[in-house]
Amino acid sequence: MRIYRIYAPFLLSQTEIILNKESSHHLVNVLRCREGDICHVFDGHGNEVKAKISLANKTHMKLDVLEIVNNQTESSLKIHLFQALCKGDKM
């Protein structure tokens, strides 16, 4: 099962989300999502919700929020990168 993820700049409502024209176009035309499909909506600040598409057309899309998802996509590992310096003009 594919998980569709879409960006919404703000998640103000806890019950429904209305997407703009660009996001609606991407879900309907590119990803071929239809009414009743499940997708995840995130806002870029660590918030993510699982939502069901209740109204889908080319100009706007309405999603009903099913649950708030605990998003743990960031790795807890601390990584340090170092670049080795070459001799002479090879750098």
Side-chain angles (χ1 to χ4, degrees), residues 14-26:
Q14 297 294 324
T15 58
E16 70 178 29
I17 300 167
I18 297 177
L19 296 177
N20 59 11
K21 184 177 180 180
E22 293 83 16
S23 298
S24 299
H25 168 76
H26 185 70

Side-chain angles (χ1 to χ4, degrees), residues 3-12 17-28 31 33 39-51 61 63 71:
I3 297 175
Y4 301 107
R5 294 187 76 224
I6 193 76
Y7 171 74
F10 49 87
L11 297 174
L12 294 178
I17 300 167
I18 297 177
L19 296 177
N20 59 11
K21 184 177 180 180
E22 293 83 16
S23 298
S24 299
H25 168 76
H26 185 70
L27 279 174
V28 171
L31 297 177
C33 291
C39 65
H40 288 228
V41 183
F42 66 97
D43 65 354
H45 299 288
N47 302 319
E48 186 171 341
V49 295
K50 183 177 180 181
M61 182 173 284
L63 306 166
N71 190 358

Side-chain angles (χ1 to χ4, degrees), residues 3-90:
I3 297 175
Y4 301 107
R5 294 187 76 224
I6 193 76
Y7 171 74
F10 49 87
L11 297 174
L12 294 178
S13 176
Q14 297 294 324
T15 58
E16 70 178 29
I17 300 167
I18 297 177
L19 296 177
N20 59 11
K21 184 177 180 180
E22 293 83 16
S23 298
S24 299
H25 168 76
H26 185 70
L27 279 174
V28 171
N29 295 332
V30 178
L31 297 177
R32 308 277 189 213
C33 291
R34 301 289 176 235
E35 292 180 8
D37 289 347
I38 304 293
C39 65
H40 288 228
V41 183
F42 66 97
D43 65 354
H45 299 288
N47 302 319
E48 186 171 341
V49 295
K50 183 177 180 181
K52 183 177 182 179
I53 300 172
S54 61
L55 174 68
N57 59 34
K58 293 180 182 179
T59 59
H60 69 280
M61 182 173 284
K62 181 180 165 190
L63 306 166
D64 294 329
V65 176
L66 300 176
E67 66 180 291
I68 297 173
V69 177
N70 186 6
N71 190 358
Q72 295 293 338
T73 57
E74 290 291 326
S75 175
S76 62
L77 299 175
K78 302 293 183 198
I79 298 174
H80 299 281
L81 296 177
F82 296 96
Q83 181 177 359
L85 299 176
C86 298
K87 293 182 180 180
D89 294 331
K90 295 180 182 179

